[in-house]
Amino acid sequence: MANLGGTFDASQVEPSKPQEALPPGEYRVQIINSEMRVTKAGTGQYLWLEMDVLDGVHAGRKVYEQLNLVNPNQQAVEISQRALSAICHALGRMQVQDSEELHFKPMLIKVAVDKSGYNKIKGYKAVSRPMAAPPPPPPPPQQTYQQPTAPQQQSPAPQQQSPAPQQGYQPPAPTASGAGPWNSIRQ
């Protein structure tokens, strides 16, 4: 028995409705949670992945995957390893030690609906990035016709100014005798 801490009035809360499976198609998703779990039989482990749909009318919906990475059935392990490899390729992570390395990176999944009405992921691929459009070609040079005009007198060219004096004092170079101008005055 569990005390609810008061009376719960179900007439004041909209009841939850069963969620239908996602329609078959491609969805952009990201893994938001993952963990290794023990199989029902207790003889193996699977990687459980929770994914969020990122776009469209189904944004925010959840999709789940279970990959039997430790199992006595070697075929189940091989299928799961190929699926994990497809996820790694889609996310550009070729070597992974922890499943958290795959979180919050977008990828595309192909979803189908199985006979029991549940979603089944049929494939993974990288999100294609739209290629940048090449820059437009430069416009052709415009040629304009100018009517010839009478030659005008040219103004005289400006006179060149002498270079600005250098800043700071620079003593003159010593003469051949070694005496500079200041040394020539003796008392």
Side-chain angles (χ1 to χ4, degrees), residues 143-158:
Q143 295 181 353
T144 58
Y145 176 75
Q146 293 183 349
Q147 209 169 17
T149 58
Q152 297 179 350
Q153 272 192 339
Q154 293 183 351
S155 58

Side-chain angles (χ1 to χ4, degrees), residues 21-27 109-115 117-123:
L22 288 172
E26 284 190 359
Y27 296 90
I109 61 170
K110 184 174 184 179
V111 173
V113 178
D114 66 13
K115 294 175 189 172
Y118 292 104
N119 284 128
K120 178 77 176 154
I121 299 174
K122 294 297 208 172

Side-chain angles (χ1 to χ4, degrees), residues 17-89:
K17 296 176 184 164
Q19 277 198 341
E20 298 293 320
L22 288 172
E26 284 190 359
Y27 296 90
R28 194 169 73 95
V29 300
Q30 66 181 359
I31 298 170
I32 60 165
N33 196 6
S34 62
E35 61 184 60
M36 288 297 288
R37 293 183 174 177
V38 178
T39 60
K40 276 186 188 177
T43 58
Q45 293 180 328
Y46 61 91
L47 176 62
W48 173 82
L49 301 172
E50 177 183 4
M51 297 173 236
D52 268 347
V53 175
L54 297 174
D55 308 309
V57 296
H58 300 290
R61 290 280 304 271
K62 306 287 186 199
V63 183
Y64 303 94
E65 179 69 288
Q66 295 179 11
L67 302 175
N68 289 298
L69 299 177
V70 180
N71 197 291
N73 181 338
Q74 193 56 36
Q75 185 179 9
V77 171
E78 289 172 8
I79 291 168
S80 294
Q81 286 178 341
R82 284 195 298 271
L84 182 56
S85 177
I87 292 169
C88 290
H89 277 84

